[in-house]
Each structure stands twice: as structure tokens, then as C-alpha cells.
């Protein structure tokens, strides 16, 4: 049976995540110690004690989510070494977690890289100037069109194609507000503003992407041990320069999650495992294709009930 490992991104974080897993599995706190050594502060303490506003700052959320995903991945490797995926992918920030898991970059490289990514993103659009919102109940084309109609001289774009009927938009706050109102007028079932500090994956992130490219240019990447499908192109790359280019593009271009899961299905994947806090991707994937099994692993209960199929 072909399987895939998928890793969540920002939005899945919560105070106290992985706490019970850490009590039984010392690998969890080992990973966070490695991350803390890179960052220069106690990341595990922030994750466990907050405050929530601090954890939700993007330059902290990103290392926290990467460390969490890799902690779960390493625990799973230790408990079930025979479970080797055919493909990996991650949603937005989760793409970096997948690259660490696939051996393209080390954990230390990944932590430093996403902390810098978060800093550059926040620098590109100061807090309060950008916004994101989820639009439910309209098709992709409708959302793209209403963004075009709402932008004026600002930016608002469809940036996360999460499921059929769920698209996230991002851009300047005023333009996002206009698009939200128009979406409601067009018959959206629900329009939900997202609690984020930066408008990810839209054109406002291009300056951050250009600076990220400079950071990436000096880094040494290895070829992946398992193919990783990238958010923007839904392709897997072997060459380090292609992977770096995909990471740069991902900052200011949309996350094609529906197409990613469809690509996994077309390549014979029958089951995926979501590794990391929460069950956000599990919910998305079930709405994309209920025929593909998915199992989230994020705590002791989900780990103990893990089912491995031949």
C-alpha cells in the first residue's frame, strides 16, 4: 500500500500541544531542545506556557510548527520504522517540515530558515496592514473573480485552494474587507476572517521572497530521500536549486492543496498520515477525496491507535 506523510502549517498551533506525547517520548523534547539552541530561547516553554499571542507571532509559530511536525515524525520512525512513505507534502509552512523529514535540510537549518522566513514576512507587511479570510461555498473561479473586482489599487488574491468550496484570500486589509463583503453578496455560505499577523502567499510577500532567495542561495541542500510535492507547482524536485526556487515562489503564490492531494491519488497513494498538531489537514483531505484514507497522529491516543496497513 502506497502511503504519504503530510505536515500541517500555521493555524494548527495551540498552547500545550504535544504535552502528553512528550511525557512518554523523550524524542519530543530533544527536538525542541535542538530548535531552542538555534533560536536562542526556550521554544518548548513558549509552546507549553504561551502566552498565546506570543506563540501566534509568525516568526515563533513557524519554528514551533516545524519542530512539532518533526518531533511526531521522529517518534513515528522510532515506533514504526517499517512505515516508509512514497510521497511527502506540507501545507504552506508544512512544506519545510516535509523537506526536513526528507533529509533535504537538517532540523537546525529548517528552524533557522523558517524563523527568518517569518521575520521577513512580518517585515514585508507590518501587523494590521494585511489580512486573510476563508471563503466557503463558492467555486475557485468565483473567488478569483471577486478578488479581481475588489482589489482596486491594492492587493487581494486567492491564495490557498484548500478544498472544493473553501478558498483563502489574502492581501491589504481594506481590499480583503471589500472582497469579503462581495463574497457574501455572491452567495458564499460563510466568510471567516483569519487570526493571522501576515497575508501569506500573495503579491505583498514578493519583497520577503526576494530576501528569502538571498538566504537560500548560501544554503546547502541535499536531494530528498522521499519525493516532496511542492505547494505551488505540485511537482517533486530532486535538484537543490529547483527546491529553493519552489520555496521562494511559495511565499507569494497560492498553495494548491486540492491539486496536491489529487496528485497523490493519481500516483497511487491510498492512505496519508498527518504528522503534527491538530487535525486540520485530515478535515481538508476528507473533503477533497473521501476514498483516500487519512490518519492524524498528534498525541498519545492517536499514536496508540495507529493502524498500519500492508
Amino acid at each position: 500500500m502506497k502511503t504519504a506523510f503530510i505536515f500541517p502549517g500555521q493555524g494548527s498551533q495551540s498552547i500545550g500541544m504535544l504535552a502528553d506525547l512528550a511525557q512518554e517520548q523523550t524524542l519530543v523534547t530533544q527536538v525542541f531542545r535542538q530548535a531552542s539552541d538555534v533560536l536562542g530561547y526556550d521554544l518548548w516553554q513558549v509552546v507549553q506556557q504561551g502566552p498565546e499571542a506570543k506563540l501566534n507571532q509568525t516568526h515563533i509559530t513557524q519554528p514551533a510548527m516545524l519542530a512539532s511536525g518533526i518531533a511526531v515524525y521522529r517518534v513515528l520512525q522510532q515506533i514504526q520504522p517499517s512505515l516508509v512513505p512514497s510521497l511527502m507534502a506540507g501545507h504552506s509552512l508544512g512544506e519545510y517540515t516535509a523537506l526536513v523529514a526528507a533529509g533535504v535540510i537538517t532540523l537546525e537549518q529548517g528552524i533557522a530558515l523558517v524563523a527568518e522566513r517569518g521575520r521577513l514576512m512580518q517585515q514585508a507587511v507590518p501587523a494590521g496592514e494585511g489580512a486573510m479570510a476563508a471563503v466557503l461555498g463558492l467555486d475557485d473561479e468565483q473567488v478569483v473573480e471577486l478578488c479581481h473586482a475588489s482589489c482596486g489599487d491594492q492587493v487581494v488574491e486567492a491564495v490557498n485552494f484548500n478544498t472544493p468550496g473553501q478558498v483563502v484570500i489574502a492581501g491589504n486589509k481594506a481590499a480583503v474587507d471589500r472582497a469579503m463583503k462581495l463574497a457574501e453578496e455572491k452567495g458564499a455560505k460563510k466568510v471567516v476572517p483569519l487570526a493571522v499577523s501576515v497575508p501569506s502567499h500573495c503579491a505583498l510577500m514578493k519583497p520577503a521572497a526576494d530576501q528569502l532567495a538571498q538566504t537560500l542561495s548560501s544554503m546547502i541542500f541535499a536531494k530528498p530521500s522521499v519525493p516532496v510535492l511542492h505547494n505551488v507547482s505540485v511537482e517533486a524536485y530532486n535538484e537543490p536549486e529547483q527546491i529553493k526556487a519552489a520555496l521562494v515562489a511559495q511565499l507569494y503564490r497560492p498553495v494548491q492543496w486540492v491539486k496536491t492531494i489529487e496528485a497523490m491519488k493519481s500516483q497511487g497513494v491510498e492512505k496519508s498520515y498527518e504528522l503534527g498538531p491538530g487535525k486540520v489537514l485530515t478535515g481538508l483531505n476528507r473533503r477533497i477525496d473521501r476514498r483516500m484514507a487519512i490518519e492524524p497522529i498528534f498525541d498519545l491516543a492517536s499514536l496508540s491507535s495507529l493502524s498500519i496497513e500492508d
Side-chain angles (χ1 to χ4, degrees):
M1 180 187 229
K2 273 194 171 184
T3 61
F5 288 174
I6 58 175
F7 299 91
Q10 292 188 80
S12 291
Q13 74 273 9
S14 62
I15 300 298
M17 60 188 183
L18 304 191
D20 70 333
L21 198 60
Q23 289 178 353
E24 297 285 333
Q25 300 289 339
T26 57
L27 272 174
V28 174
T29 48
Q30 285 175 22
V31 167
F32 274 86
R33 274 198 298 273
Q34 286 179 264
S36 298
D37 287 345
V38 173
L39 297 168
Y41 62 86
D42 191 338
L43 183 61
W44 182 248
Q45 183 181 41
V46 176
V47 164
Q48 295 307 304
Q49 299 176 18
E52 189 173 19
K54 185 173 183 179
L55 177 60
N56 289 343
Q57 292 173 18
T58 191
H59 67 284
I60 294 175
T61 309
Q62 295 193 35
M65 284 302 301
L66 189 148
S68 297
I70 291 302
V72 174
Y73 171 71
R74 289 186 177 175
V75 168
L76 182 60
Q77 275 189 311
Q78 181 174 270
I79 291 173
Q80 290 288 349
S82 62
L83 181 57
V84 179
S86 300
L87 289 170
M88 292 189 192
H91 189 286
S92 188
L93 180 277
E95 185 167 299
Y96 288 78
T97 317
L99 291 173
V100 172
V104 174
I105 49 178
T106 65
L107 173 63
E108 289 82 0
Q109 283 180 304
I111 291 293
L113 183 56
V114 299
E116 175 67 0
R117 179 179 183 263
R119 187 189 69 79
L120 293 173
M121 291 169 72
Q122 195 68 77
Q123 189 180 67
V125 182
E129 293 186 14
M132 298 181 76
V135 178
L136 283 67
L138 299 179
D139 63 35
D140 295 354
E141 292 74 16
Q142 286 177 296
V143 178
V144 170
E145 287 170 9
L146 68 86
C147 285
H148 285 317
S150 303
C151 61
D153 60 354
Q154 294 181 311
V155 170
V156 59
E157 298 169 359
V159 297
N160 289 4
F161 295 95
N162 285 336
T163 72
Q166 188 196 117
V167 180
V168 172
I169 61 175
N172 295 104
K173 187 178 185 309
V176 171
D177 287 344
R178 291 192 295 269
M180 290 171 65
K181 184 178 179 184
L182 186 56
E184 290 173 343
E185 292 171 1
K186 294 288 185 182
K189 291 178 183 176
K190 201 172 184 181
V191 182
V192 184
L194 303 182
V196 295
S197 59
V198 291
S200 303
H201 307 295
C202 73
L204 296 177
M205 289 293 113
K206 186 65 168 62
D210 292 341
Q211 291 178 278
L212 184 69
Q214 295 177 24
T215 300
L216 288 166
S217 66
S218 62
M219 293 182 66
I220 297 173
F221 278 28
K223 293 186 178 183
S225 59
V226 174
V228 175
L229 292 178
H230 292 275
N231 287 177
V232 170
S233 62
V234 197
E235 298 282 345
Y237 302 120
N238 271 320
E239 296 306 316
E241 293 311 310
Q242 291 177 302
I243 296 170
K244 290 178 183 181
L247 293 178
V248 172
Q250 191 226 47
L251 252 190
Y252 64 95
R253 290 178 59 191
V255 172
Q256 300 286 355
W257 194 248
V258 174
K259 290 181 180 178
T260 297
I261 302 309
E262 290 173 344
M264 286 183 174
K265 186 78 172 179
S266 71
Q267 293 182 46
V269 171
E270 296 176 64
K271 183 171 185 177
S272 56
Y273 295 87
E274 179 180 2
L275 308 184
K279 299 181 283 187
V280 170
L281 300 184
T282 297
L284 297 183
N285 286 20
R286 284 174 176 160
R287 289 196 286 277
I288 295 168
D289 188 344
R290 283 199 165 274
R291 295 167 297 175
M292 187 192 291
I294 181 163
E295 191 167 346
I297 303 171
F298 58 93
D299 60 7
L300 272 179
S302 57
L303 188 66
S304 62
S305 64
L306 179 66
S307 62
I308 307 296
E309 299 166 48
D310 294 329

